[in-house]
Amino acid sequence: MKDFNFYAPTRVVFGRESEEKLPQLIKQYGGTKVLVHFGGGSARKSGLLDKVEKMLGEAGIAYVELGGVVPNPLLSKVREGIELCRREHVDFILAVGGGSVIDSAKAIGYGVGYEGDVWDFWDGKAVPQACLPIGVMLTIPAAGSEMSSSCVITNDEGMLKRGVNSDLCRCRFAIMNPERTYTLPPYQTAAGATDIMMHTMERYFSKYEDAVLTDAIAEALLRTVKVATPEVLRRPDDYKHRAAIMWASSLSHNDLTECGTEKDFACHKLEHELSGMFGVTHGAGLAAIWGSWARYVMDRHVSRFAKFAVDVMGVTQDFTDPKATALKGIEAMEAFFVSIGMPVSIPELVGRRITAEEIKALVEKCSRGGKMNIGAMEVLKPEDMTAIYEKANA
């Protein structure tokens, strides 16, 4: 079991009445002028933004607003937010939405006090030294950014999708009302559930196999999402299962399921280039790439995949052929993805087979021009990345 340092400072306020705590939480964490950051029209249409504005106004908290965050949040919007915060002397950011909005808020928080170009942090030229305090009103359970140290941004120039991790950006609080997820479209619900499961699996598939309690937590989380997702697809207003998915979103990416293990995140890095190049939904891209990654690395980690097959996917253990058990687990996971409407190949994801030139460009970006490997359980070089993309493209 690997030594670890677990840090999860975000206050979680969960439940039907949780939104009412917003003004006192902002004041508690020093907010006097707030940037309310959000995505498209759904936050307004649902009435949530109106409620936020009313609560802030009644509490005497000044605010400005910036909407327009898109999936795979863009650097151009981050730069717009930085200038707005500087001009308006904002001292607190409230993200109303899901992972894209939260990551955009984190990037703005990094950039406000930084004299250089904020992209320097994602380009490896600088390390964040400060971040404005951030709070979240979560509406889309998926990315887990409400409790994570991660921030992923896409540079409009070249569509480079990159991540930066720092505890400085961890949110001060996260308000979670599962009722706000009732109106999520089925595809977005399923893609979010996939992202939650992948955040857990990217830590579960580790060369450290002695973290017994952490494994048990991860397996329970995965089984819970596997059960809950079909239920909410059938009945969108199922509070019990919506709540389970929302809480799983946070636990999947606050590093709890990494205690004693080592995160791999090869699939995430491979997918970031897919969504950067083709604009696809992140969770769907993960489903499209995972099976090919799993088959590529499985032979060297059969016992781990067999454990996953039995303890998560419910496959019967074949003690005479562990590899067959492991493979059945991969097939069962892909069958689950298909059952909730997710793709399991690149052609299903983007509507066609991609070209050899496009694969070459994906690998070039993922490996930073051949200078960087990815993965931890299995370290992947550019030639390995190419092989996985080709498998997923078949």
Side-chain angles (χ1 to χ4, degrees):
M1 183 169 173
K2 185 182 178 184
D3 294 348
F4 63 89
N5 187 334
F6 179 59
Y7 180 63
T10 303
R11 179 183 298 276
V12 174
V13 184
F14 194 102
R16 291 182 175 90
E17 304 300 323
S18 56
E19 294 161 2
E20 306 302 324
K21 306 289 196 306
L22 176 64
Q24 69 186 64
L25 286 167
I26 290 175
K27 289 181 177 180
Q28 179 180 340
Y29 291 101
T32 62
K33 188 162 189 181
V34 178
L35 171 67
V36 179
H37 200 33
F38 58 96
S42 60
R44 178 70 67 187
K45 189 183 302 181
S46 70
L48 182 57
L49 273 181
D50 292 338
K51 182 172 184 177
V52 167
E53 292 165 353
K54 184 173 185 291
M55 287 191 292
L56 293 179
E58 290 177 348
I61 300 172
Y63 65 90
V64 293
E65 295 181 338
L66 179 63
V69 179
V70 298
N72 304 312
L74 298 175
L75 179 62
S76 55
K77 182 61 66 174
V78 170
R79 287 173 172 155
E80 183 182 348
I82 291 169
E83 291 306 312
L84 176 60
C85 286
R86 288 173 175 169
R87 187 170 64 249
E88 296 291 336
H89 305 290
V90 164
D91 59 14
F92 193 94
I93 303 175
L94 176 67
V96 181
S100 294
V101 174
I102 301 167
D103 280 10
S104 185
K106 289 177 176 180
I108 292 169
Y110 283 147
V112 171
Y114 179 61
E115 293 183 0
D117 181 9
V118 69
W119 183 250
D120 288 349
F121 301 132
W122 286 265
D123 207 25
K125 296 177 181 177
V127 175
Q129 299 298 316
C131 185
L132 283 183
I134 297 163
V136 173
M137 189 167 280
L138 188 67
T139 63
I140 304 173
S145 190
E146 65 276 3
M147 286 192 77
S148 82
S149 64
S150 176
C151 176
V152 180
I153 296 295
T154 299
N155 190 333
D156 314 43
E157 297 178 10
M159 298 308 290
L160 298 171
K161 188 173 180 180
R162 298 284 181 262
V164 165
N165 285 73
S166 169
D167 285 331
L168 294 169
C169 77
R170 287 187 186 268
C171 299
R172 299 300 200 271
F173 64 80
I175 293 172
M176 302 186 205
N177 179 356
E179 293 173 323
R180 291 293 175 183
T181 69
Y182 288 176
T183 57
L184 284 176
Y187 189 83
Q188 196 169 18
T189 296
T194 301
D195 197 12
I196 293 166
M197 297 180 82
M198 284 298 304
H199 281 148
T200 307
M201 289 153 62
E202 295 269 46
R203 294 169 166 94
Y204 181 83
F205 286 103
S206 167
K207 61 189 177 186
Y208 294 91
E209 299 188 5
D210 295 324
V212 178
L213 178 56
T214 298
D215 280 352
I217 293 169
E219 290 161 359
L221 194 158
L222 290 166
R223 291 193 300 267
T224 297
V225 177
K226 186 162 67 79
V227 169
T229 303
E231 293 297 329
V232 299
L233 290 175
R234 280 192 290 269
R235 191 161 65 88
D237 62 351
D238 182 335
Y239 183 89
K240 171 184 172 181
H241 289 104
R242 287 286 190 187
I245 291 172
M246 183 170 253
W247 185 220
S249 168
S250 299
L251 295 183
S252 73
H253 206 29
N254 73 348
D255 297 335
L256 177 64
T257 57
E258 192 179 325
C259 293
T261 70
E262 182 180 20
K263 63 184 174 186
D264 185 86
F265 273 70
C267 288
H268 265 76
K269 292 185 183 298
L270 291 165
E271 194 290 323
H272 282 170
E273 307 311 333
L274 283 172
S275 52
M277 183 178 290
F278 299 104
V280 297
T281 301
H282 175 57
L286 289 169
I289 206 78
W290 182 79
S292 296
W293 168 84
R295 288 181 176 86
Y296 189 78
V297 305
M298 182 193 73
D299 284 350
R300 293 170 294 282
H301 308 278
V302 170
S303 63
R304 196 62 175 167
F305 279 92
K307 178 174 170 57
F308 171 80
V310 174
D311 294 340
V312 176
M313 302 310 299
V315 172
T316 301
Q317 177 79 60
D318 183 348
F319 292 100
T320 66
D321 193 347
K323 185 175 178 179
T325 302
L327 184 58
K328 286 180 181 178
I330 296 171
E331 292 169 348
M333 187 75 250
E334 288 185 314
F336 172 77
F337 287 151
V338 170
S339 75
I340 62 173
M342 289 288 97
V344 290
S345 71
I346 291 175
E348 292 176 57
L349 178 70
V350 304
R352 62 173 174 84
R353 293 186 68 185
I354 61 177
T355 66
E357 291 75 19
E358 288 170 327
I359 290 177
K360 183 178 179 180
L362 289 168
V363 172
E364 180 77 7
K365 291 180 178 181
C366 192
S367 66
R368 307 289 177 94
K371 298 176 182 177
M372 187 180 81
N373 299 329
I374 62 173
M377 183 178 80
E378 187 82 10
V379 176
L380 304 177
K381 300 176 181 179
E383 56 266 31
D384 302 310
M385 302 175 206
T386 300
I388 293 169
Y389 280 131
E390 288 176 344
K391 278 180 175 286
N393 196 41

